[in-house]
Amino acid sequence: MTAMDSKLAIDGGAAARSKPLPPNYPGASVIGAEEAERAARVLQAQSPFRYYGIDMQHAVRTLEEMMSAELGIPYALGVTSCTAALVVALKALGIGYGDKVIVPANTFLATPGAVVASHAVPVFADVDDSLNLDPDDLERVLDDEVKAIIAVPILGNPVDMDPIMAFAKRHGLRVIEDVAQSCGATYKGRYAGTIGDIGVFSFQMNKILTAGEGGAVVTSDPLLFERAVRYHDQGLFREQARYGIASPEEEHAFLGQNYRMSELTGAVLVEQWKKLGDIVSRMRANCAAIREAVAAGLPGLKFRRSADPAGDIGSNLGMVLPSAAQAGRFIEALNAENITAHLLYGGRPVYMMPQLFRQRTAERSGFPFDYPFRRPVVYREDMCPRAVDLMARTVYMPVSPLLDSRDAGEIADGIVKVGRSLGL
Ligand SMILES: *Cc1c(COP(=O)(O)O)cnc(C)c1O
């Protein structure tokens, strides 16, 4: 690099990249004729509903079968969103008013929001240097009112599930994996989402695969699956024969909601699902190339730890800066180089979102926070100090599957240039 090249774009130098990176929508950016044709077939067949129609295409069923086969799990259910999937999962587990659910401090508002929508109350466990749930902090928030743990692999990086499953087993807790951001990630060779009692996926625009909206629930347990199907379909259990689950109606029936996936969504997702392997291998290769070059150029830079680096889908490169102030300067300078980089959720734990921090719900009484818990649920800013510290100084750079080796080289050069000038 010449002296000329080393002047930062933010100081008037030439940008490392002449144009911005492609927008970070991995699945959406590979939508093509396949999705359009399969969705058109659903419309041409005049059959957009999954359970009956004029000339049924069975798109949602096909998606469920593809997910089940690839993930290696017996049961998959398409639903309208991951928020819906979380509610369905919690209801399948029988969780509700008077129950607490452990949620990591680093997650999207939807995770604790779905707990509240299920009439339970979230309690927050801290993260470790993987920025995912810290298994060693579970004990701190455990009491006999806690019924489940939601593990959330943040931005493609798998959660350390073994100690979480061991803890859950020891204390009779259920485990949900919220894999919304990490479709395709693995942990010790198993797909994220298939390790806990229930896994939930998102197919919203911002996620790895998308139909704009959509979600899925997966499990190995036939009873949990039956309860999930019932809750997502008004308490009904249609197509029982398909699953080989014989359910005496009077025994297992209860009222549900409507979280059914449309055939149009299913059609798009069948084609998206076929592209998952390719998307993930491209992101992994791009992320590895960038990381390697950055590590060589900035030997002092710390990367976000992974509990299983081989299982990370490479959708984001996480860099942990020495301070929040340096993270802010790093982001500003990278953006000027046309390299997208940001903190996640404004760099603050999810429980600091005012609606959650103040325990505000749509109900007049503050339900379900009004339950007379034996150990009251109180939120304080400092209850998860590592999340407060690390989230404010962990910079994520999204890695698109569309990058070529030249893009990866320019990105790495830009990061190294900015890092050196900041003395990292
Ligand atoms: C996006 C997201 C959700 C919500 O997904 P929707 O499909 O939009 O409902 C839930 N959990 C996490 C961790 C997410 O990132």
Side-chain angles (χ1 to χ4, degrees):
M1 231 185 267
T2 67
M4 192 76 168
D5 292 338
S6 67
K7 188 166 181 186
L8 298 187
I10 201 171
D11 297 327
R17 288 181 47 83
S18 56
K19 56 180 173 42
L21 289 161
N24 182 38
Y25 304 117
S29 66
V30 299
I31 289 177
E34 306 81 10
E35 285 84 350
E37 278 159 23
R38 195 174 284 270
R41 252 184 274 157
V42 166
L43 293 173
Q44 281 150 4
Q46 302 176 311
S47 299
F49 183 61
R50 73 164 298 173
Y51 287 127
Y52 47 79
I54 292 166
D55 173 17
M56 292 184 70
Q57 301 298 301
H58 298 296
V60 178
R61 180 191 292 189
T62 303
L63 170 70
E64 291 165 350
E65 287 168 359
M66 290 170 78
M67 288 188 73
S68 166
E70 177 60 32
L71 298 172
I73 194 159
Y75 304 110
L77 178 70
V79 295
T80 46
S81 71
C82 184
T83 308
L86 281 163
V87 172
V88 166
L90 288 158
K91 288 296 148 194
L93 292 168
I95 287 165
Y97 195 44
D99 295 331
K100 297 173 182 170
V101 176
I102 299 176
V103 170
N106 186 18
T107 188
F108 181 52
L109 197 51
T111 316
V115 172
V116 171
S118 307
H119 308 158
V121 165
V123 293
F124 293 93
D126 212 341
V127 300
D128 58 24
D129 59 355
S130 71
L131 278 288
N132 287 334
L133 185 57
D134 177 4
D136 292 331
D137 198 45
L138 293 169
E139 191 81 52
R140 179 184 63 83
V141 286
L142 181 71
D143 61 36
D144 62 355
E145 294 169 318
V146 169
K147 297 291 157 43
I149 301 166
I150 305 183
V152 187
I154 288 293
L155 296 182
N157 184 349
V159 175
D160 195 6
M161 291 303 292
D162 281 350
I164 292 171
M165 295 308 292
F167 182 90
K169 193 164 179 201
R170 233 171 18 252
H171 297 284
L173 308 178
R174 311 306 291 263
V175 177
I176 297 171
E177 290 174 89
D178 175 355
V179 196
Q181 305 177 359
S182 302
C183 185
T186 58
Y187 172 74
K188 300 189 178 175
R190 295 166 74 188
Y191 274 110
T194 66
I195 299 162
D197 295 282
I198 302 185
V200 298
F201 292 77
S202 176
F203 303 117
Q204 186 264 345
M205 178 69 183
N206 209 21
K207 315 295 177 165
I208 307 304
L209 301 180
T210 191
E213 300 280 8
V217 177
V218 303
T219 184
S220 305
D221 183 324
L223 182 57
L224 291 180
F225 184 67
E226 178 184 340
R227 288 179 58 88
V229 172
R230 286 187 179 284
Y231 196 76
H232 109 297
D233 187 20
Q234 313 286 17
L236 304 176
F237 189 25
R238 302 187 231 210
E239 300 185 346
Q240 281 182 35
R242 181 184 148 204
Y243 307 110
I245 301 172
S247 172
E249 186 77 22
E250 62 286 359
E251 211 176 291
H252 292 156
F254 56 87
L255 291 169
Q257 301 288 326
N258 170 14
Y259 294 131
R260 295 179 303 253
M261 180 181 278
S262 147
E263 283 284 284
L264 283 166
T265 302
V268 172
L269 291 174
V270 165
E271 297 303 329
Q272 284 272 292
W273 189 263
K274 293 180 189 168
K275 299 177 182 179
L276 178 63
D278 191 47
I279 291 173
V280 169
S281 64
R282 284 168 188 273
M283 293 190 305
R284 277 186 176 144
N286 289 331
C287 193
I290 296 168
R291 179 177 170 143
E292 203 177 313
V294 170
L298 295 173
L301 181 67
K302 233 182 127 235
F303 293 98
R304 176 186 178 197
R305 188 177 66 79
S306 178
D308 182 355
D312 191 314
I313 56 175
S315 56
N316 283 268
L317 182 63
M319 296 166 278
V320 187
L321 280 279
S323 71
Q326 275 167 297
R329 285 197 292 275
F330 192 53
I331 289 168
E332 224 185 321
L334 286 175
N335 290 344
E337 304 290 339
N338 280 324
I339 297 169
T340 315
H342 54 81
L343 300 177
L344 191 59
Y345 309 129
R348 309 190 77 195
V350 66
Y351 57 75
M352 291 310 293
M353 295 284 287
Q355 46 280 69
L356 186 55
F357 195 75
R358 297 185 197 132
Q359 305 189 345
R360 291 261 176 84
T361 66
E363 316 301 320
R364 275 189 299 270
S365 64
F367 172 89
F369 288 101
D370 63 345
Y371 186 85
F373 288 108
R374 286 186 290 281
R375 183 158 86 162
V377 176
V378 181
Y379 300 150
R380 286 178 296 103
E381 171 156 25
D382 62 355
M383 64 188 172
C384 298
R386 276 188 307 281
V388 171
D389 170 37
L390 289 170
M391 288 180 72
R393 59 190 178 91
T394 300
V395 176
Y396 297 92
M397 198 211 55
V399 178
S400 165
L402 303 182
L403 303 182
D404 58 24
S405 58
R406 184 179 153 179
D407 294 318
E410 286 175 351
I411 291 168
D413 288 348
I415 296 174
V416 170
K417 176 171 88 162
V418 169
R420 282 189 181 153
S421 93
L422 294 184
L424 299 176

Coordinates of all heavy atoms in Angstrom, one line a residue, residues 81-84 86 107-108 110-111 152 154 178 180-181 201-204 207 213-214 345, ligand 1:
S81 N -44.5 -16.7 10.3 CA -43.3 -15.9 10.7 C -42.5 -16.6 11.7 O -43.0 -17.6 12.3 CB -43.7 -14.5 11.2 OG -44.3 -14.6 12.5
C82 N -41.3 -16.2 12.1 CA -40.6 -16.8 13.2 C -41.2 -16.4 14.5 O -41.1 -17.1 15.5 CB -39.1 -16.4 13.1 SG -38.1 -17.2 14.4
T83 N -41.8 -15.1 14.6 CA -42.5 -14.7 15.8 C -43.6 -15.7 16.1 O -43.8 -16.2 17.2 CB -43.0 -13.3 15.7 OG1 -41.9 -12.5 15.2 CG2 -43.6 -12.8 17.0
A84 N -44.4 -16.0 15.0 CA -45.5 -17.0 15.1 C -44.9 -18.4 15.5 O -45.4 -19.1 16.4 CB -46.2 -17.1 13.8
L86 N -42.2 -19.0 17.3 CA -41.8 -19.0 18.7 C -43.1 -19.1 19.6 O -43.1 -19.9 20.5 CB -41.2 -17.6 19.0 CG -39.7 -17.5 18.6 CD1 -39.2 -16.0 18.6 CD2 -38.8 -18.3 19.6
T107 N -30.4 -10.4 21.5 CA -31.3 -11.0 20.5 C -32.2 -9.9 20.0 O -32.2 -8.7 20.5 CB -32.1 -12.1 21.1 OG1 -32.9 -12.8 20.0 CG2 -33.1 -11.7 22.1
F108 N -33.0 -10.2 19.0 CA -34.0 -9.2 18.5 C -35.2 -9.2 19.4 O -35.5 -10.2 20.0 CB -34.4 -9.7 17.0 CG -35.3 -8.8 16.4 CD1 -35.1 -7.4 16.3 CD2 -36.5 -9.3 15.8 CE1 -36.1 -6.6 15.7 CE2 -37.4 -8.5 15.1 CZ -37.2 -7.1 15.1
A110 N -38.2 -9.6 18.9 CA -39.2 -10.7 18.6 C -39.0 -11.8 19.6 O -40.1 -12.5 19.9 CB -39.0 -11.2 17.2
T111 N -37.8 -12.2 20.1 CA -37.7 -13.3 21.0 C -38.4 -13.1 22.3 O -39.3 -13.9 22.6 CB -36.2 -13.7 21.2 OG1 -35.5 -13.6 19.9 CG2 -36.0 -15.1 21.8
V152 N -30.3 -18.5 21.0 CA -30.4 -17.7 19.7 C -29.0 -17.6 19.1 O -28.2 -16.8 19.6 CB -30.9 -16.3 20.0 CG1 -31.2 -15.6 18.6 CG2 -32.2 -16.3 20.8
I154 N -26.7 -15.8 17.1 CA -26.8 -14.5 16.5 C -25.9 -14.4 15.3 O -24.7 -14.7 15.3 CB -26.3 -13.4 17.6 CG1 -27.4 -13.3 18.7 CG2 -26.0 -12.1 17.0 CD1 -28.7 -12.7 18.2
D178 N -33.9 -20.5 18.6 CA -34.4 -19.4 17.6 C -33.3 -19.2 16.6 O -32.4 -18.4 16.8 CB -34.7 -18.2 18.4 CG -35.2 -17.0 17.6 OD1 -35.1 -17.1 16.3 OD2 -35.5 -16.0 18.1
A180 N -33.6 -17.9 13.7 CA -34.1 -16.9 12.7 C -32.9 -16.4 11.8 O -33.1 -16.2 10.6 CB -34.8 -15.8 13.4
Q181 N -31.8 -16.1 12.5 CA -30.7 -15.4 11.7 C -29.6 -16.4 11.2 O -28.6 -16.0 10.6 CB -29.9 -14.5 12.7 CG -30.8 -13.5 13.4 CD -30.1 -12.6 14.4 OE1 -28.9 -12.7 14.6 NE2 -30.9 -11.7 14.9
F201 N -37.5 -21.1 12.7 CA -36.8 -20.4 11.6 C -37.6 -19.2 11.1 O -38.8 -19.2 11.2 CB -36.6 -21.4 10.4 CG -35.7 -22.6 10.7 CD1 -36.1 -23.6 11.5 CD2 -34.4 -22.6 10.2 CE1 -35.3 -24.7 11.7 CE2 -33.6 -23.6 10.4 CZ -34.0 -24.7 11.2
S202 N -36.9 -18.3 10.5 CA -37.5 -17.1 9.9 C -37.2 -17.0 8.4 O -36.1 -17.3 8.0 CB -37.1 -15.8 10.5 OG -37.7 -14.7 9.8
F203 N -38.2 -16.7 7.6 CA -38.0 -16.4 6.2 C -38.4 -15.0 5.9 O -38.9 -14.7 4.8 CB -38.8 -17.5 5.4 CG -38.4 -18.9 5.7 CD1 -39.4 -19.8 6.3 CD2 -37.1 -19.3 5.5 CE1 -39.0 -21.1 6.6 CE2 -36.8 -20.6 5.9 CZ -37.7 -21.5 6.4
Q204 N -38.2 -14.1 6.8 CA -38.5 -12.7 6.6 C -37.4 -12.1 5.7 O -36.3 -12.7 5.5 CB -38.5 -12.0 8.0 CG -38.9 -10.5 8.0 CD -37.7 -9.6 8.0 OE1 -36.6 -10.0 8.2 NE2 -37.9 -8.3 7.6
K207 N -33.5 -12.3 6.3 CA -32.9 -13.5 6.8 C -32.2 -14.3 5.6 O -32.2 -13.8 4.5 CB -33.9 -14.4 7.4 CG -34.9 -13.7 8.4 CD -34.2 -13.1 9.6 CE -35.2 -12.3 10.5 NZ -34.7 -12.0 11.8
E213 N -42.0 -12.8 4.1 CA -42.4 -13.2 5.4 C -42.4 -14.8 5.4 O -42.5 -15.4 4.4 CB -43.8 -12.7 5.8 CG -43.9 -11.2 5.9 CD -43.4 -10.6 7.1 OE1 -42.8 -11.2 7.9 OE2 -43.6 -9.3 7.3
G214 N -42.4 -15.4 6.6 CA -42.6 -16.8 6.7 C -41.7 -17.3 7.9 O -40.8 -16.6 8.4
Y345 N -28.4 -4.0 16.9 CA -29.4 -3.4 17.9 C -28.9 -2.2 18.6 O -29.1 -2.1 19.8 CB -29.9 -4.5 18.8 CG -30.3 -5.8 18.1 CD1 -29.8 -7.0 18.5 CD2 -31.1 -5.7 17.0 CE1 -30.1 -8.2 17.8 CE2 -31.5 -6.9 16.3 CZ -31.0 -8.1 16.7 OH -31.3 -9.2 16.1
Ligands
LIG1 C1 -35.9 -11.8 12.8 C2 -35.9 -12.5 14.0 C3 -37.1 -13.0 14.6 C4 -38.5 -12.7 14.0 O1 -38.7 -13.2 12.8 P1 -40.0 -12.9 11.9 O2 -40.0 -13.9 10.9 O3 -39.8 -11.5 11.4 O4 -41.1 -12.9 12.9 C5 -37.0 -13.7 15.7 N1 -35.9 -13.9 16.4 C6 -34.7 -13.4 15.9 C7 -33.4 -13.7 16.6 C8 -34.7 -12.7 14.7 O5 -33.6 -12.2 14.3

